Amino acid sequence: MPLVTTFAALADPTRLAIVQQLSRGSATMSQLTRPHTITPPAMTKHVGILVDAGLVTRRKHGRSVVCSLQPTALGEVQTWLGDLTAYWNSAIDRLETLLESDDDEQ
């Protein structure tokens, strides 16, 4: 899934809370709806967006729908953040070296 799709799905506070809740384990749609002040149809829409983004899976278990976080769902985000962190660490190291060389010249 494109990174922008993942971020768009996570940009909504309710969907971010759903992902955080599912990071602690699978949950039924009613368990996901309970802590929020939204209707079950609204929760279904939010979960659908997370499913479309590849972050969550849904499966029927009897009369319930159980949602789970995809184990590799945030891998692309983690890679992107790792690259970004490496870039900024390198930039800070270069700046530090530059400042130290300026101190030595004075």
Side-chain angles (χ1 to χ4, degrees), residues 8-42:
L10 295 174
D12 181 89
T14 300
R15 290 192 292 269
L16 183 58
I18 293 166
V19 169
Q20 289 172 325
Q21 183 175 351
L22 291 176
S23 72
R24 295 185 294 275
S26 298
T28 64
M29 290 295 287
S30 5
Q31 289 170 324
L32 290 175
T33 304
R34 208 169 289 134
H36 303 281
T37 56
I38 62 174
T39 64

PDB file of all heavy atoms in Angstrom, residues 8-42:
ATOM      1  N   ALA A   8      -3.113   8.619   5.433  1.00  0.00           N
ATOM      2  CA  ALA A   8      -4.477   9.150   5.320  1.00  0.00           C
ATOM      3  C   ALA A   8      -5.419   8.359   6.226  1.00  0.00           C
ATOM      4  O   ALA A   8      -6.280   8.940   6.893  1.00  0.00           O
ATOM      5  CB  ALA A   8      -4.949   9.097   3.872  1.00  0.00           C
ATOM      6  N   ALA A   9      -5.246   7.043   6.262  1.00  0.00           N
ATOM      7  CA  ALA A   9      -6.102   6.211   7.120  1.00  0.00           C
ATOM      8  C   ALA A   9      -5.852   6.508   8.593  1.00  0.00           C
ATOM      9  O   ALA A   9      -6.777   6.532   9.405  1.00  0.00           O
ATOM     10  CB  ALA A   9      -5.865   4.735   6.822  1.00  0.00           C
ATOM     11  N   LEU A  10      -4.598   6.743   8.950  1.00  0.00           N
ATOM     12  CA  LEU A  10      -4.245   6.982  10.351  1.00  0.00           C
ATOM     13  C   LEU A  10      -4.455   8.430  10.785  1.00  0.00           C
ATOM     14  O   LEU A  10      -4.371   8.730  11.979  1.00  0.00           O
ATOM     15  CB  LEU A  10      -2.781   6.588  10.602  1.00  0.00           C
ATOM     16  CG  LEU A  10      -2.461   5.115  10.433  1.00  0.00           C
ATOM     17  CD1 LEU A  10      -0.965   4.870  10.565  1.00  0.00           C
ATOM     18  CD2 LEU A  10      -3.233   4.277  11.426  1.00  0.00           C
ATOM     19  N   ALA A  11      -4.737   9.315   9.839  1.00  0.00           N
ATOM     20  CA  ALA A  11      -4.896  10.736  10.168  1.00  0.00           C
ATOM     21  C   ALA A  11      -6.149  11.010  10.989  1.00  0.00           C
ATOM     22  O   ALA A  11      -6.217  11.989  11.719  1.00  0.00           O
ATOM     23  CB  ALA A  11      -4.922  11.572   8.887  1.00  0.00           C
ATOM     24  N   ASP A  12      -7.124  10.129  10.886  1.00  0.00           N
ATOM     25  CA  ASP A  12      -8.356  10.308  11.648  1.00  0.00           C
ATOM     26  C   ASP A  12      -8.146   9.785  13.073  1.00  0.00           C
ATOM     27  O   ASP A  12      -7.677   8.658  13.258  1.00  0.00           O
ATOM     28  CB  ASP A  12      -9.489   9.519  10.977  1.00  0.00           C
ATOM     29  CG  ASP A  12     -10.782   9.699  11.726  1.00  0.00           C
ATOM     30  OD1 ASP A  12     -11.512  10.652  11.413  1.00  0.00           O
ATOM     31  OD2 ASP A  12     -11.066   8.878  12.622  1.00  0.00           O
ATOM     32  N   PRO A  13      -8.478  10.574  14.092  1.00  0.00           N
ATOM     33  CA  PRO A  13      -8.252  10.149  15.485  1.00  0.00           C
ATOM     34  C   PRO A  13      -8.959   8.845  15.862  1.00  0.00           C
ATOM     35  O   PRO A  13      -8.408   8.035  16.609  1.00  0.00           O
ATOM     36  CB  PRO A  13      -8.785  11.313  16.322  1.00  0.00           C
ATOM     37  CG  PRO A  13      -8.838  12.478  15.410  1.00  0.00           C
ATOM     38  CD  PRO A  13      -9.008  11.938  14.020  1.00  0.00           C
ATOM     39  N   THR A  14     -10.155   8.637  15.335  1.00  0.00           N
ATOM     40  CA  THR A  14     -10.876   7.403  15.652  1.00  0.00           C
ATOM     41  C   THR A  14     -10.153   6.201  15.064  1.00  0.00           C
ATOM     42  O   THR A  14      -9.962   5.182  15.734  1.00  0.00           O
ATOM     43  CB  THR A  14     -12.329   7.462  15.130  1.00  0.00           C
ATOM     44  OG1 THR A  14     -12.994   8.556  15.755  1.00  0.00           O
ATOM     45  CG2 THR A  14     -13.074   6.172  15.426  1.00  0.00           C
ATOM     46  N   ARG A  15      -9.711   6.309  13.813  1.00  0.00           N
ATOM     47  CA  ARG A  15      -9.001   5.186  13.186  1.00  0.00           C
ATOM     48  C   ARG A  15      -7.661   4.932  13.859  1.00  0.00           C
ATOM     49  O   ARG A  15      -7.259   3.780  14.036  1.00  0.00           O
ATOM     50  CB  ARG A  15      -8.849   5.440  11.688  1.00  0.00           C
ATOM     51  CG  ARG A  15     -10.192   5.353  10.971  1.00  0.00           C
ATOM     52  CD  ARG A  15     -10.046   5.315   9.474  1.00  0.00           C
ATOM     53  NE  ARG A  15      -9.551   6.537   8.889  1.00  0.00           N
ATOM     54  CZ  ARG A  15     -10.307   7.538   8.451  1.00  0.00           C
ATOM     55  NH1 ARG A  15     -11.624   7.470   8.572  1.00  0.00           N
ATOM     56  NH2 ARG A  15      -9.761   8.592   7.905  1.00  0.00           N
ATOM     57  N   LEU A  16      -6.978   5.987  14.263  1.00  0.00           N
ATOM     58  CA  LEU A  16      -5.723   5.809  14.986  1.00  0.00           C
ATOM     59  C   LEU A  16      -5.972   5.081  16.303  1.00  0.00           C
ATOM     60  O   LEU A  16      -5.232   4.164  16.677  1.00  0.00           O
ATOM     61  CB  LEU A  16      -5.053   7.161  15.236  1.00  0.00           C
ATOM     62  CG  LEU A  16      -3.692   7.130  15.923  1.00  0.00           C
ATOM     63  CD1 LEU A  16      -2.691   6.305  15.130  1.00  0.00           C
ATOM     64  CD2 LEU A  16      -3.179   8.540  16.119  1.00  0.00           C
ATOM     65  N   ALA A  17      -7.043   5.442  16.997  1.00  0.00           N
ATOM     66  CA  ALA A  17      -7.399   4.775  18.254  1.00  0.00           C
ATOM     67  C   ALA A  17      -7.743   3.303  18.013  1.00  0.00           C
ATOM     68  O   ALA A  17      -7.399   2.437  18.826  1.00  0.00           O
ATOM     69  CB  ALA A  17      -8.567   5.493  18.929  1.00  0.00           C
ATOM     70  N   ILE A  18      -8.404   3.013  16.906  1.00  0.00           N
ATOM     71  CA  ILE A  18      -8.730   1.624  16.566  1.00  0.00           C
ATOM     72  C   ILE A  18      -7.444   0.819  16.374  1.00  0.00           C
ATOM     73  O   ILE A  18      -7.310  -0.291  16.896  1.00  0.00           O
ATOM     74  CB  ILE A  18      -9.611   1.558  15.292  1.00  0.00           C
ATOM     75  CG1 ILE A  18     -10.986   2.156  15.565  1.00  0.00           C
ATOM     76  CG2 ILE A  18      -9.726   0.121  14.785  1.00  0.00           C
ATOM     77  CD1 ILE A  18     -11.794   2.436  14.301  1.00  0.00           C
ATOM     78  N   VAL A  19      -6.505   1.373  15.636  1.00  0.00           N
ATOM     79  CA  VAL A  19      -5.226   0.684  15.409  1.00  0.00           C
ATOM     80  C   VAL A  19      -4.503   0.474  16.735  1.00  0.00           C
ATOM     81  O   VAL A  19      -3.957  -0.601  16.995  1.00  0.00           O
ATOM     82  CB  VAL A  19      -4.348   1.454  14.396  1.00  0.00           C
ATOM     83  CG1 VAL A  19      -2.933   0.912  14.361  1.00  0.00           C
ATOM     84  CG2 VAL A  19      -4.978   1.376  13.005  1.00  0.00           C
ATOM     85  N   GLN A  20      -4.519   1.488  17.595  1.00  0.00           N
ATOM     86  CA  GLN A  20      -3.881   1.338  18.903  1.00  0.00           C
ATOM     87  C   GLN A  20      -4.565   0.246  19.717  1.00  0.00           C
ATOM     88  O   GLN A  20      -3.903  -0.558  20.373  1.00  0.00           O
ATOM     89  CB  GLN A  20      -3.898   2.669  19.656  1.00  0.00           C
ATOM     90  CG  GLN A  20      -2.944   3.669  19.050  1.00  0.00           C
ATOM     91  CD  GLN A  20      -3.079   5.057  19.654  1.00  0.00           C
ATOM     92  OE1 GLN A  20      -4.166   5.496  20.012  1.00  0.00           O
ATOM     93  NE2 GLN A  20      -1.958   5.759  19.739  1.00  0.00           N
ATOM     94  N   GLN A  21      -5.892   0.199  19.668  1.00  0.00           N
ATOM     95  CA  GLN A  21      -6.620  -0.837  20.397  1.00  0.00           C
ATOM     96  C   GLN A  21      -6.285  -2.219  19.826  1.00  0.00           C
ATOM     97  O   GLN A  21      -6.046  -3.164  20.581  1.00  0.00           O
ATOM     98  CB  GLN A  21      -8.126  -0.577  20.312  1.00  0.00           C
ATOM     99  CG  GLN A  21      -8.960  -1.561  21.110  1.00  0.00           C
ATOM    100  CD  GLN A  21     -10.450  -1.213  21.097  1.00  0.00           C
ATOM    101  OE1 GLN A  21     -10.842  -0.146  20.633  1.00  0.00           O
ATOM    102  NE2 GLN A  21     -11.261  -2.122  21.596  1.00  0.00           N
ATOM    103  N   LEU A  22      -6.238  -2.333  18.510  1.00  0.00           N
ATOM    104  CA  LEU A  22      -5.952  -3.633  17.893  1.00  0.00           C
ATOM    105  C   LEU A  22      -4.490  -4.057  18.079  1.00  0.00           C
ATOM    106  O   LEU A  22      -4.175  -5.233  17.954  1.00  0.00           O
ATOM    107  CB  LEU A  22      -6.308  -3.602  16.402  1.00  0.00           C
ATOM    108  CG  LEU A  22      -7.806  -3.510  16.103  1.00  0.00           C
ATOM    109  CD1 LEU A  22      -8.042  -3.376  14.604  1.00  0.00           C
ATOM    110  CD2 LEU A  22      -8.555  -4.709  16.673  1.00  0.00           C
ATOM    111  N   SER A  23      -3.618  -3.110  18.397  1.00  0.00           N
ATOM    112  CA  SER A  23      -2.218  -3.479  18.655  1.00  0.00           C
ATOM    113  C   SER A  23      -2.101  -4.296  19.940  1.00  0.00           C
ATOM    114  O   SER A  23      -1.103  -4.967  20.175  1.00  0.00           O
ATOM    115  CB  SER A  23      -1.325  -2.234  18.724  1.00  0.00           C
ATOM    116  OG  SER A  23      -1.561  -1.513  19.921  1.00  0.00           O
ATOM    117  N   ARG A  24      -3.143  -4.263  20.772  1.00  0.00           N
ATOM    118  CA  ARG A  24      -3.166  -5.060  22.008  1.00  0.00           C
ATOM    119  C   ARG A  24      -3.864  -6.398  21.806  1.00  0.00           C
ATOM    120  O   ARG A  24      -3.951  -7.199  22.722  1.00  0.00           O
ATOM    121  CB  ARG A  24      -3.847  -4.254  23.113  1.00  0.00           C
ATOM    122  CG  ARG A  24      -3.057  -3.002  23.505  1.00  0.00           C
ATOM    123  CD  ARG A  24      -3.668  -2.261  24.681  1.00  0.00           C
ATOM    124  NE  ARG A  24      -4.973  -1.675  24.413  1.00  0.00           N
ATOM    125  CZ  ARG A  24      -5.192  -0.490  23.854  1.00  0.00           C
ATOM    126  NH1 ARG A  24      -4.169   0.241  23.473  1.00  0.00           N
ATOM    127  NH2 ARG A  24      -6.405  -0.026  23.676  1.00  0.00           N
ATOM    128  N   GLY A  25      -4.412  -6.623  20.596  1.00  0.00           N
ATOM    129  CA  GLY A  25      -5.067  -7.894  20.301  1.00  0.00           C
ATOM    130  C   GLY A  25      -6.319  -7.694  19.474  1.00  0.00           C
ATOM    131  O   GLY A  25      -6.832  -6.586  19.352  1.00  0.00           O
ATOM    132  N   SER A  26      -6.802  -8.767  18.902  1.00  0.00           N
ATOM    133  CA  SER A  26      -8.003  -8.731  18.070  1.00  0.00           C
ATOM    134  C   SER A  26      -9.207  -8.280  18.894  1.00  0.00           C
ATOM    135  O   SER A  26      -9.233  -8.431  20.110  1.00  0.00           O
ATOM    136  CB  SER A  26      -8.278 -10.114  17.489  1.00  0.00           C
ATOM    137  OG  SER A  26      -7.214 -10.500  16.659  1.00  0.00           O
ATOM    138  N   ALA A  27     -10.205  -7.740  18.192  1.00  0.00           N
ATOM    139  CA  ALA A  27     -11.416  -7.266  18.868  1.00  0.00           C
ATOM    140  C   ALA A  27     -12.598  -7.381  17.917  1.00  0.00           C
ATOM    141  O   ALA A  27     -12.436  -7.279  16.699  1.00  0.00           O
ATOM    142  CB  ALA A  27     -11.248  -5.816  19.315  1.00  0.00           C
ATOM    143  N   THR A  28     -13.765  -7.582  18.496  1.00  0.00           N
ATOM    144  CA  THR A  28     -14.985  -7.592  17.690  1.00  0.00           C
ATOM    145  C   THR A  28     -15.372  -6.149  17.371  1.00  0.00           C
ATOM    146  O   THR A  28     -14.886  -5.206  18.001  1.00  0.00           O
ATOM    147  CB  THR A  28     -16.142  -8.272  18.450  1.00  0.00           C
ATOM    148  OG1 THR A  28     -16.443  -7.486  19.612  1.00  0.00           O
ATOM    149  CG2 THR A  28     -15.802  -9.701  18.844  1.00  0.00           C
ATOM    150  N   MET A  29     -16.268  -6.013  16.422  1.00  0.00           N
ATOM    151  CA  MET A  29     -16.741  -4.674  16.064  1.00  0.00           C
ATOM    152  C   MET A  29     -17.388  -3.996  17.274  1.00  0.00           C
ATOM    153  O   MET A  29     -17.195  -2.807  17.489  1.00  0.00           O
ATOM    154  CB  MET A  29     -17.740  -4.756  14.902  1.00  0.00           C
ATOM    155  CG  MET A  29     -17.102  -5.150  13.579  1.00  0.00           C
ATOM    156  SD  MET A  29     -15.928  -3.927  12.966  1.00  0.00           S
ATOM    157  CE  MET A  29     -17.037  -2.637  12.452  1.00  0.00           C
ATOM    158  N   SER A  30     -18.158  -4.762  18.087  1.00  0.00           N
ATOM    159  CA  SER A  30     -18.764  -4.128  19.275  1.00  0.00           C
ATOM    160  C   SER A  30     -17.714  -3.686  20.279  1.00  0.00           C
ATOM    161  O   SER A  30     -17.870  -2.648  20.908  1.00  0.00           O
ATOM    162  CB  SER A  30     -19.782  -4.999  19.977  1.00  0.00           C
ATOM    163  OG  SER A  30     -19.901  -6.249  19.478  1.00  0.00           O
ATOM    164  N   GLN A  31     -16.652  -4.472  20.432  1.00  0.00           N
ATOM    165  CA  GLN A  31     -15.578  -4.071  21.353  1.00  0.00           C
ATOM    166  C   GLN A  31     -14.875  -2.816  20.842  1.00  0.00           C
ATOM    167  O   GLN A  31     -14.466  -1.971  21.643  1.00  0.00           O
ATOM    168  CB  GLN A  31     -14.569  -5.213  21.511  1.00  0.00           C
ATOM    169  CG  GLN A  31     -15.094  -6.386  22.292  1.00  0.00           C
ATOM    170  CD  GLN A  31     -14.162  -7.584  22.227  1.00  0.00           C
ATOM    171  OE1 GLN A  31     -13.523  -7.855  21.203  1.00  0.00           O
ATOM    172  NE2 GLN A  31     -14.099  -8.323  23.337  1.00  0.00           N
ATOM    173  N   LEU A  32     -14.743  -2.705  19.529  1.00  0.00           N
ATOM    174  CA  LEU A  32     -14.114  -1.504  18.971  1.00  0.00           C
ATOM    175  C   LEU A  32     -15.011  -0.280  19.119  1.00  0.00           C
ATOM    176  O   LEU A  32     -14.530   0.819  19.366  1.00  0.00           O
ATOM    177  CB  LEU A  32     -13.786  -1.717  17.484  1.00  0.00           C
ATOM    178  CG  LEU A  32     -12.672  -2.697  17.158  1.00  0.00           C
ATOM    179  CD1 LEU A  32     -12.557  -2.890  15.651  1.00  0.00           C
ATOM    180  CD2 LEU A  32     -11.343  -2.231  17.737  1.00  0.00           C
ATOM    181  N   THR A  33     -16.323  -0.483  18.999  1.00  0.00           N
ATOM    182  CA  THR A  33     -17.266   0.632  19.057  1.00  0.00           C
ATOM    183  C   THR A  33     -17.435   1.166  20.476  1.00  0.00           C
ATOM    184  O   THR A  33     -17.575   2.378  20.680  1.00  0.00           O
ATOM    185  CB  THR A  33     -18.637   0.200  18.497  1.00  0.00           C
ATOM    186  OG1 THR A  33     -18.450  -0.301  17.166  1.00  0.00           O
ATOM    187  CG2 THR A  33     -19.620   1.355  18.459  1.00  0.00           C
ATOM    188  N   ARG A  34     -17.377   0.274  21.456  1.00  0.00           N
ATOM    189  CA  ARG A  34     -17.679   0.624  22.851  1.00  0.00           C
ATOM    190  C   ARG A  34     -16.976   1.890  23.359  1.00  0.00           C
ATOM    191  O   ARG A  34     -17.635   2.763  23.931  1.00  0.00           O
ATOM    192  CB  ARG A  34     -17.348  -0.572  23.751  1.00  0.00           C
ATOM    193  CG  ARG A  34     -18.187  -0.613  24.993  1.00  0.00           C
ATOM    194  CD  ARG A  34     -18.036  -1.933  25.739  1.00  0.00           C
ATOM    195  NE  ARG A  34     -18.674  -3.016  24.997  1.00  0.00           N
ATOM    196  CZ  ARG A  34     -18.133  -4.207  24.769  1.00  0.00           C
ATOM    197  NH1 ARG A  34     -16.934  -4.492  25.230  1.00  0.00           N
ATOM    198  NH2 ARG A  34     -18.766  -5.125  24.080  1.00  0.00           N
ATOM    199  N   PRO A  35     -15.651   2.051  23.196  1.00  0.00           N
ATOM    200  CA  PRO A  35     -15.016   3.242  23.785  1.00  0.00           C
ATOM    201  C   PRO A  35     -15.263   4.551  23.020  1.00  0.00           C
ATOM    202  O   PRO A  35     -14.825   5.605  23.457  1.00  0.00           O
ATOM    203  CB  PRO A  35     -13.532   2.901  23.783  1.00  0.00           C
ATOM    204  CG  PRO A  35     -13.354   1.759  22.858  1.00  0.00           C
ATOM    205  CD  PRO A  35     -14.677   1.114  22.665  1.00  0.00           C
ATOM    206  N   HIS A  36     -15.949   4.480  21.906  1.00  0.00           N
ATOM    207  CA  HIS A  36     -16.146   5.672  21.079  1.00  0.00           C
ATOM    208  C   HIS A  36     -17.602   6.126  21.118  1.00  0.00           C
ATOM    209  O   HIS A  36     -18.491   5.348  21.416  1.00  0.00           O
ATOM    210  CB  HIS A  36     -15.742   5.382  19.624  1.00  0.00           C
ATOM    211  CG  HIS A  36     -14.323   4.916  19.502  1.00  0.00           C
ATOM    212  ND1 HIS A  36     -13.251   5.768  19.543  1.00  0.00           N
ATOM    213  CD2 HIS A  36     -13.808   3.659  19.392  1.00  0.00           C
ATOM    214  CE1 HIS A  36     -12.134   5.070  19.437  1.00  0.00           C
ATOM    215  NE2 HIS A  36     -12.447   3.788  19.349  1.00  0.00           N
ATOM    216  N   THR A  37     -17.815   7.370  20.784  1.00  0.00           N
ATOM    217  CA  THR A  37     -19.181   7.905  20.747  1.00  0.00           C
ATOM    218  C   THR A  37     -19.664   7.941  19.303  1.00  0.00           C
ATOM    219  O   THR A  37     -20.115   8.975  18.811  1.00  0.00           O
ATOM    220  CB  THR A  37     -19.220   9.318  21.361  1.00  0.00           C
ATOM    221  OG1 THR A  37     -18.277  10.131  20.648  1.00  0.00           O
ATOM    222  CG2 THR A  37     -18.915   9.300  22.826  1.00  0.00           C
ATOM    223  N   ILE A  38     -19.535   6.800  18.621  1.00  0.00           N
ATOM    224  CA  ILE A  38     -19.998   6.705  17.242  1.00  0.00           C
ATOM    225  C   ILE A  38     -20.934   5.509  17.114  1.00  0.00           C
ATOM    226  O   ILE A  38     -20.929   4.620  17.961  1.00  0.00           O
ATOM    227  CB  ILE A  38     -18.830   6.590  16.239  1.00  0.00           C
ATOM    228  CG1 ILE A  38     -17.999   5.331  16.484  1.00  0.00           C
ATOM    229  CG2 ILE A  38     -17.954   7.822  16.274  1.00  0.00           C
ATOM    230  CD1 ILE A  38     -16.914   5.087  15.446  1.00  0.00           C
ATOM    231  N   THR A  39     -21.703   5.511  16.062  1.00  0.00           N
ATOM    232  CA  THR A  39     -22.648   4.428  15.824  1.00  0.00           C
ATOM    233  C   THR A  39     -21.931   3.219  15.221  1.00  0.00           C
ATOM    234  O   THR A  39     -20.846   3.368  14.642  1.00  0.00           O
ATOM    235  CB  THR A  39     -23.741   4.887  14.845  1.00  0.00           C
ATOM    236  OG1 THR A  39     -23.120   5.174  13.584  1.00  0.00           O
ATOM    237  CG2 THR A  39     -24.481   6.107  15.367  1.00  0.00           C
ATOM    238  N   PRO A  40     -22.531   2.040  15.343  1.00  0.00           N
ATOM    239  CA  PRO A  40     -21.936   0.858  14.698  1.00  0.00           C
ATOM    240  C   PRO A  40     -21.713   1.036  13.188  1.00  0.00           C
ATOM    241  O   PRO A  40     -20.647   0.648  12.688  1.00  0.00           O
ATOM    242  CB  PRO A  40     -22.921  -0.263  15.016  1.00  0.00           C
ATOM    243  CG  PRO A  40     -23.511   0.151  16.340  1.00  0.00           C
ATOM    244  CD  PRO A  40     -23.640   1.655  16.235  1.00  0.00           C
ATOM    245  N   PRO A  41     -22.647   1.655  12.442  1.00  0.00           N
ATOM    246  CA  PRO A  41     -22.369   1.869  11.016  1.00  0.00           C
ATOM    247  C   PRO A  41     -21.153   2.775  10.769  1.00  0.00           C
ATOM    248  O   PRO A  41     -20.384   2.556   9.832  1.00  0.00           O
ATOM    249  CB  PRO A  41     -23.653   2.509  10.478  1.00  0.00           C
ATOM    250  CG  PRO A  41     -24.719   2.052  11.416  1.00  0.00           C
ATOM    251  CD  PRO A  41     -24.049   1.988  12.764  1.00  0.00           C
ATOM    252  N   ALA A  42     -20.979   3.782  11.621  1.00  0.00           N
ATOM    253  CA  ALA A  42     -19.808   4.657  11.486  1.00  0.00           C
ATOM    254  C   ALA A  42     -18.526   3.876  11.775  1.00  0.00           C
ATOM    255  O   ALA A  42     -17.507   4.051  11.088  1.00  0.00           O
ATOM    256  CB  ALA A  42     -19.926   5.859  12.418  1.00  0.00           C
TER     257      ALA A  42
END
